[in-house]
């Protein structure tokens, strides 16, 4: 398992979701990706994207005024 | 399972594409969704920007639809490629700056590319014949098939029975008799079908799927092109057109005035790119100045900014003017009386 981070700050939805999706596509199942965003919408949208595409949300919340979503990449190819 | 057919559905977040996908899923086809982000989508941004909208539960409708349907959704950033659609639409614009026919052709072409890359069999859209004046007419639906290159791999489940059978129908992948024959502007058949499937709380965008169908937004975009003397834009330009009050006192500069806290916060992100004004003697909005303002213009801009501050009735208001390099100075001005801000300065 590798741990990765993605800076999706200062861009607005749906761009944080698109960046997450494109990054996850490069990772292996079991890898963990921590996404940081400033658009509050990302707190709903990234977990929603994970649910429909078969990835596990390990953490979703706000830290230091930023949205942090931690994802474990699933087996799906999505 | 190896001969299970696969379709990609263009998902806008609205009801029609949701129903179209469902109709095909009901026939045992594996469906995944595709959604294109052009930069003009009504989705997300304005909700994220406006503070008053934040109180409402916010969702991305395309993701919501995919979740309701239980399908995957692929969101594709087409901001750059989409420019040629907006700037040079072969079929022109609709009522505002919406190039719907070119836009649909572009999206179906991208979906066609996608199905070839991903080994899918055909494409579905939620188009309904006669529903939209430009892109969804009997004579324009075939144009989209032709210009996208998708030909008869493009199936419109909601109005398929008004159209010649497509390959998926002829090959028996889908049963044409179970497809629909919706037409015209009435939304009743869609609503009845939604009820049958138990879909509730779906989005019903009034004008269309994007800001280009909005008259006020299109006026701001046209103003931007006029003022710059060329038709072009980048993502920041079109995002800023969604925010604030735009006031153009002269062709070479305009003001973008935040209307509330959410917008002010959003405009903060652009402080480094634009000269900007902020009231120091009174509470007031953040104001960006876009263009090539001279000294006298900045003074006028300060008077306008003062007019939108809480010091609007005070004899004098002090503002800080900060230039992109960081250099700043204070200006004390008399707020411009509303009567001296002509109606046609409001873009
Ligand atoms: S409303 Fe906007 S997104 Fe929808 S077809 Fe027209 S131009 Fe394209």
């Amino acid at each position: 398992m590798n741990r990765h981070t993605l800076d999706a700050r200062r861009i607005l939805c749906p761009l944080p979701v698109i960046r997450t999706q494109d990054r996850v596509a490069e990772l292996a199942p079991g890898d963990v990706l921590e996404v940081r965003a400033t658009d509050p919408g990302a707190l709903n949208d990234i977990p929603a994207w994970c649910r429909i595409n078969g990835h596990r949300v390990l953490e979703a919340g706000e830290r230091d005024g930023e949205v942090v979503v931690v994802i474990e990449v699933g087996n799906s190819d999505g | 399972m190896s001969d299970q057919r696969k379709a990609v559905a263009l998902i806008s977040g609205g009801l029609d594409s949701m129903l179209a996908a469902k109709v095909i899923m009901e026939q045992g086809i594996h469906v995944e969704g595709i959604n294109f982000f052009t930069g003009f989508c009504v989705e997300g941004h304005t909700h994220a920007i406006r503070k008053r909208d934040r109180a409402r539960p916010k969702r991305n409708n395309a993701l919501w639809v995919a979740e309701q349907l239980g399908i995957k959704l692929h969101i594709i950033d087409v901001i750059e490629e989409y420019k040629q659609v907006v700037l040079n639409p072969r079929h022109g614009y609709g009522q505002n700056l919406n190039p719907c026919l070119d836009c649909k052709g572009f999206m179906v072409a991208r979906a066609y590319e996608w199905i070839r890359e991903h080994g899918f069999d055909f494409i579905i859209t939620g188009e309904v014949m006669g529903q939209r004046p430009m892109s969804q007419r009997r004579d324009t639906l075939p144009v989209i098939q032709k210009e996208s290159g998708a030909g008869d791999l493009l199936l419109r489940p909601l109005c398929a029975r008004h159209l010649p059978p497509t390959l998926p129908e002829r090959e028996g992948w889908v049963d044409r008799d179970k497809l629909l024959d919706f037409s015209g502007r009435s939304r009743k058949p869609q609503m009845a079908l939604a009820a049958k499937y138990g879909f509730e709380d779906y989005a019903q965008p009034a004008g269309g799927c994007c800001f280009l169908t909005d008259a006020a937004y299109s006026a701001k975009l046209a103003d931007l092109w006029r003022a710059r003397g060329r038709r072009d834009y980048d993502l920041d330009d079109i995002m800023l057109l969604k925010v604030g009050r735009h006031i153009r006192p002269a062709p070479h500069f305009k003001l973008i005035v935040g209307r509330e806290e959410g917008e002010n916060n959003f405009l903060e992100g652009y402080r480094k790119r634009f000269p900007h004004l902020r009231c120091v003697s009174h509470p007031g909005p953040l104001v960006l100045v876009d263009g090539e303002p001279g000294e006298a213009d900045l003074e006028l801009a300060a008077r306008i900014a003062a007019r939108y501050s809480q010091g609007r009735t005070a004899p004098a208001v002090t503002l800080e003017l900060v230039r992109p390099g960081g250099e700043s100075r204070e200006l004390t001005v008399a707020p411009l009386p509303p009567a001296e801000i002509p109606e046609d300065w409001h873009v």
Side-chain angles (χ1 to χ4, degrees), chain A residues 10-15 17-19 21-22 38-42 44-54 76-78, chain B residues 32 35 37 43-45 48-49 54 57-60 62-64 66-68 71-77 79 235 239 266:
Chain A
R10 285 176 291 281
I11 51 177
L12 296 174
C13 282
L15 288 171
V17 183
I18 297 177
R19 300 286 177 263
Q21 162 192 276
D22 294 350
T38 43
D39 181 342
N44 295 320
D45 292 355
I46 296 176
W49 178 84
C50 290
R51 286 194 300 276
I52 62 181
N53 289 289
S76 97
D77 55 6
Chain B
E32 295 188 14
N35 173 263
F37 179 58
E43 277 316 322
H45 299 98
I49 297 165
R54 280 193 201 173
K58 177 199 166 295
R59 70 181 190 204
N60 174 304
L63 285 168
W64 181 82
E67 193 162 21
Q68 298 300 301
I71 63 173
K72 285 189 182 178
L73 182 72
H74 310 276
I75 309 179
I76 306 200
D77 169 353
I79 298 165
L235 184 62
M239 298 307 287
F266 177 76

Side-chain angles (χ1 to χ4, degrees), chain B residues 12 36 38 40-41 82 85-86 97-104 107 132 134-136 207-213:
Chain B
S12 65
F36 296 103
T38 64
F40 295 101
C41 309
Y82 194 72
V85 177
V86 178
L97 286 176
N98 49 311
C100 292
L101 188 48
D102 288 79
C103 171
K104 277 280 156 60
M107 289 184 180
R132 296 221 189 262
M134 187 174 196
S135 57
Q136 303 190 11
C209 19
C210 84
F211 267 102
L212 294 168
T213 56

